[in-house]
Amino acid sequence: MTALGNDHITHIQAIAQKSRSAMNSVLDGKDHAVRTALITLFSGGHLLLEDVPGVGKTLLAKALGRVVGGSVRRIQFTPDLLPSDVVGVSIFNQEKRTFEFRAGPVFANVVIADEINRASPKTQSAMLECMAENQASVDGTTYRMPQPFMVVATQNPVDMEGTYSLPEAQRDRFTARISIGYPSTEAEMDMLDHHVEYDPLSRTAAVTTLDEVTQARELIRHVEASPELRAYVVSLLDATRSDPAIALGSSPRAGVQLLRTAKVLAVLAGRGYVTPDDIQALAVDVLSHRIVPREGDDPQLAASLMGDILRRVPVR
């Protein structure tokens, strides 16, 4: 692959800006969520959206699929959902006397795992191989996911009725976790003016292609990260593991995901190298869902603890 040059940076910036504008036209006043979704897409990761129902989590995922021109499949997670309902099943063809694989809805470019924590842990775990290795194994045969592949999961707060906590191993597969939140008064007024008469997604068209996204992912990996910067990332991870207020610290995978997203942010800023500011801008969204506070698995508390760590760990 050709090394990352200024022309490549400019091209990726243009793709990201067009995608961001198209998604912002659908999601009023949610630019941070839109930017984080695009950063996750270009880093090759997966996104977890945690919030109360009705604030636009599914709309964000659908808009992301529309702008990249890829296939979008939605899985509604329910208590009776089985793993085979997610990845697919082998069915015996009596005419051909052979088994044929019927692919499940997880085989798409953008998979919307809606209310993922309403399903049992067994079914939630069916997503693990798909998210970690871009493949699914069924009856001894491995099937590759289409590329690019991204899971956008929505999750209701755990204290709501009929929800299960995601296993730590599965949460670690998500690159970032964000909360969309309620819209501002102005944005909500715009929604009442424009979203009642028509579906906002109906006017959203693809602004890039799957090939461009895949190429951008490969080019972004060439963004430079100095040894000092990598040491800074490791020091942040170490701080989560030694903090007395944290029962479970960040995994090594967390550092890899943090650096990958920081490389995307650097390119979006027009640079071919990562700075500590890139790391700090993403650390809370990328690391907080991977730690478990001793006082309880509370997202706001985890984010607050990560903020404290960022303030006390010196920049290298």
Side-chain angles (χ1 to χ4, degrees), residues 45 101 130 146 158 169-170 184 188 205 216-217 261 271 278-279 282 295 309:
F101 177 62
C130 304
V158 175
Q170 186 173 3
S184 64
E188 199 158 9
R217 283 181 170 185
T261 54
R271 288 181 276 103
D278 298 322
I279 299 295
L282 295 165
E295 295 185 5
I309 289 173

Side-chain angles (χ1 to χ4, degrees), residues 220-234:
I220 287 169
R221 294 182 185 273
H222 292 272
V223 172
E224 294 181 7
S226 67
E228 293 80 8
L229 186 129
R230 295 196 297 271
Y232 176 53
V233 171
V234 173

Side-chain angles (χ1 to χ4, degrees), residues 46-77:
H46 309 286
L47 182 64
L48 180 61
L49 305 173
E50 183 174 77
D51 221 322
V52 296
V55 294
K57 301 188 297 294
T58 306
L59 186 62
L60 172 65
K62 288 183 176 180
L64 182 65
R66 285 287 184 93
V67 298
V68 301
S71 58
V72 181
R73 301 289 295 276
R74 177 179 176 271
I75 307 172
Q76 179 62 55
F77 281 72

Side-chain angles (χ1 to χ4, degrees), residues 237-257:
L237 301 182
D238 286 340
T240 68
R241 299 163 188 163
S242 60
D243 193 312
I246 298 176
L248 178 65
S250 296
S251 68
R253 183 185 291 111
V256 173
Q257 297 292 342

Side-chain angles (χ1 to χ4, degrees), residues 112-124:
I112 305 170
D114 221 349
E115 297 184 308
I116 191 171
N117 61 332
R118 287 198 178 277
S120 66
K122 181 179 180 180
T123 302
Q124 293 172 9

Side-chain angles (χ1 to χ4, degrees), residues 21-264:
S21 298
M23 293 177 67
N24 276 327
S25 68
V26 177
L27 292 124
D28 298 310
K30 299 300 176 185
D31 184 65
H32 174 72
V34 168
R35 189 191 72 153
T36 304
L38 290 171
I39 289 174
T40 304
L41 171 68
F42 285 110
S43 71
H46 309 286
L47 182 64
L48 180 61
L49 305 173
E50 183 174 77
D51 221 322
V52 296
V55 294
K57 301 188 297 294
T58 306
L59 186 62
L60 172 65
K62 288 183 176 180
L64 182 65
R66 285 287 184 93
V67 298
V68 301
S71 58
V72 181
R73 301 289 295 276
R74 177 179 176 271
I75 307 172
Q76 179 62 55
F77 281 72
T78 56
D80 60 347
L81 191 73
L82 300 175
S84 59
D85 296 327
V86 175
V87 298
V89 64
S90 294
I91 299 177
F92 185 70
N93 187 320
Q94 294 191 4
E95 293 183 359
K96 298 181 179 180
R97 310 299 295 176
T98 59
F99 282 93
E100 296 180 349
F101 177 62
R102 300 287 180 86
V106 75
F107 287 87
N109 297 116
V110 177
V111 178
I112 305 170
D114 221 349
E115 297 184 308
I116 191 171
N117 61 332
R118 287 198 178 277
S120 66
K122 181 179 180 180
T123 302
Q124 293 172 9
S125 298
M127 301 286 290
L128 280 176
E129 183 184 12
C130 304
M131 296 171 64
E133 302 177 36
N134 285 330
Q135 66 182 34
S137 299
V138 180
D139 295 334
T141 303
T142 299
Y143 302 92
R144 300 293 299 177
M145 297 291 123
Q147 293 300 314
F149 172 70
M150 177 179 178
V151 174
V152 180
T154 71
Q155 175 176 250
N156 294 326
V158 175
D159 58 353
M160 296 190 70
E161 184 177 356
T163 59
Y164 303 81
S165 295
L166 291 180
E168 286 78 7
Q170 186 173 3
R171 287 197 296 184
D172 199 35
R173 261 65 175 188
F174 286 102
T175 299
R177 177 183 66 182
I178 59 173
S179 175
I180 293 181
Y182 289 110
S184 64
T185 301
E186 295 77 10
E188 199 158 9
M189 289 291 293
D190 289 339
M191 290 175 60
L192 294 178
D193 287 340
H194 302 116
H195 291 197
V196 174
E197 297 179 358
Y198 65 89
D199 180 5
L201 283 172
S202 63
R203 301 186 181 182
T204 304
V207 298
T208 185
T209 66
L210 297 176
D211 288 341
E212 283 187 318
V213 173
T214 300
Q215 185 182 34
R217 283 181 170 185
E218 293 300 322
L219 288 169
I220 287 169
R221 294 182 185 273
H222 292 272
V223 172
E224 294 181 7
S226 67
E228 293 80 8
L229 186 129
R230 295 196 297 271
Y232 176 53
V233 171
V234 173
S235 66
L236 290 175
L237 301 182
D238 286 340
T240 68
R241 299 163 188 163
S242 60
D243 193 312
I246 298 176
L248 178 65
S250 296
S251 68
R253 183 185 291 111
V256 173
Q257 297 292 342
L258 180 57
L259 188 56
R260 284 180 178 176
T261 54
K263 287 186 176 186
V264 178

